[in-house]
Amino acid sequence: MMDKNILDKFRLNGKRALVTGCTRGIGLGMAEALSQAGADIVGASRSLKAGSDVEKLVKSSGRDFKGYACDFSDRNALYEFIEKVKTDFEKIDILVNNAGTIKRKKAEEFPDEYWDEVIEVNLNAQFILAREFGKDMIKRGSGKIIFTASLLAFFGGITVPAYAASKGGIGQLTKALSNEWSKYGVNVNAIAPGYIATDNTKALREDTVRNQGIMNRIPFGRWGTPEDLKGAVVFLASSASDYVCGTILIVDGGWTGR
């Protein structure tokens, strides 16, 4: 029996993907890419409203979109959101854990409330989402979970101690869940974007010295854009990556190779 055409393995027709943090930047690009590959999209963001850009982009691809507003720093709101999604949809085939936040301050001045919010959104909420939708994937014997990690899963960064700690945790969580769930047909992987031009990196791009230092280290010669991550998310969401487990896929224009 012949395997299906390789390009067919990248198609997501008949699949439903939940994408958190989908209203802008990386998450918006990922939701658009998955819909273009054939997936219907469930989107979630703290600021998501009807008629959003992500809804328009998904529907322009001919796919269904259902949006939810959720504050991922609020544990009760998170569980209510999960319950709503499970009530509204029979299954989620693909979970893209992308929602995140960042707070900048010198470590010796970094307040408890900054630390708590970043860890809650970037790590705690992502574990809970993976656990609650992952258990359903285990029962079905299939599913794809994709975390948005960061280069700070490998490096410490400057003035972002909570962000670095959370993304380091995401890297290890990806491996830990993969170790347990791969045998059930659930692929758990992460994408580590390099320096991507989004709202989260605005401060860096406006810092002349830091920006030049970053540019000097990127062999590709420019900051990345959300467009640069679309191929990676479709690959990890599709059957083309069925034997890829516990991997942190770096998309950074060559930065880590310098």
Side-chain angles (χ1 to χ4, degrees):
M1 181 178 178
M2 291 183 63
D3 290 339
K4 59 182 173 182
N5 184 287
I6 184 60
L7 292 180
D8 290 334
K9 290 188 175 184
F10 288 86
R11 302 188 196 284
L12 301 176
N13 299 74
K15 303 293 184 181
R16 190 176 305 277
L18 168 56
V19 183
T20 68
C22 66
T23 57
R24 59 187 182 178
I26 291 171
L28 177 61
M30 288 178 168
E32 181 182 19
L34 294 170
S35 69
Q36 289 174 344
D40 294 319
I41 305 297
V42 177
S45 175
R46 182 170 58 183
S47 59
L48 188 59
K49 297 178 181 178
S52 63
D53 288 343
V54 64
E55 180 177 353
K56 293 174 183 176
L57 285 170
V58 169
K59 289 186 174 179
S60 72
S61 297
R63 309 315 309 170
D64 292 334
F65 179 85
K66 172 71 173 178
Y68 300 83
C70 180
D71 180 354
F72 293 102
S73 68
D74 183 331
R75 188 72 62 92
N76 291 329
L78 174 63
Y79 277 110
E80 289 174 3
F81 161 68
I82 292 169
E83 184 177 355
K84 287 178 184 176
V85 172
K86 290 195 176 193
T87 298
D88 291 345
F89 299 101
E90 180 181 352
K91 65 176 180 173
I92 295 295
D93 302 287
I94 302 155
L95 170 63
V96 180
N97 257 329
N98 172 72
T101 190
I102 191 167
K103 300 287 187 182
R104 298 180 185 275
K105 211 170 188 64
K106 293 179 179 180
E108 67 270 24
E109 300 172 359
F110 206 83
D112 288 356
E113 57 267 27
Y114 277 19
W115 179 272
D116 291 343
E117 180 181 351
V118 172
I119 295 299
E120 189 65 29
V121 173
N122 292 10
L123 187 57
N124 294 345
Q126 300 212 20
F127 169 69
I128 291 169
L129 285 162
R131 182 189 66 203
E132 294 305 306
F133 288 104
K135 64 178 64 175
D136 297 333
M137 294 176 180
I138 289 170
K139 290 177 183 177
R140 293 197 307 270
S142 66
K144 302 279 185 173
I145 297 175
I146 304 162
F147 291 98
T148 298
S150 167
L151 294 185
L152 296 195
F154 311 102
F155 305 97
I158 300 171
T159 70
V160 287
Y163 186 84
S166 70
K167 293 302 183 178
I170 286 297
Q172 292 303 102
L173 180 60
T174 298
K175 297 172 186 178
L177 297 182
S178 178
N179 287 344
E180 294 191 40
W181 296 352
S182 293
K183 62 187 176 184
Y184 300 115
V186 180
N187 296 82
V188 185
N189 293 289
I191 297 171
Y195 286 92
I196 308 298
T198 66
D199 291 347
N200 276 356
T201 58
K202 185 173 184 289
L204 283 179
R205 286 179 283 117
E206 292 179 345
D207 183 327
T208 305
V209 176
R210 293 286 311 278
N211 183 53
Q212 189 58 54
I214 289 166
M215 285 291 293
N216 288 343
R217 185 168 168 169
I218 301 175
F220 203 75
R222 64 167 173 82
W223 280 69
T225 70
E227 187 76 20
D228 295 312
L229 300 164
K230 289 182 175 181
V233 75
V234 170
F235 168 61
L236 291 178
S238 73
S239 63
S241 64
D242 281 352
Y243 200 60
V244 179
C245 308
T247 290
I248 304 174
L249 177 57
I250 299 172
V251 183
D252 70 348
W255 191 92
T256 55
R258 281 303 263 271

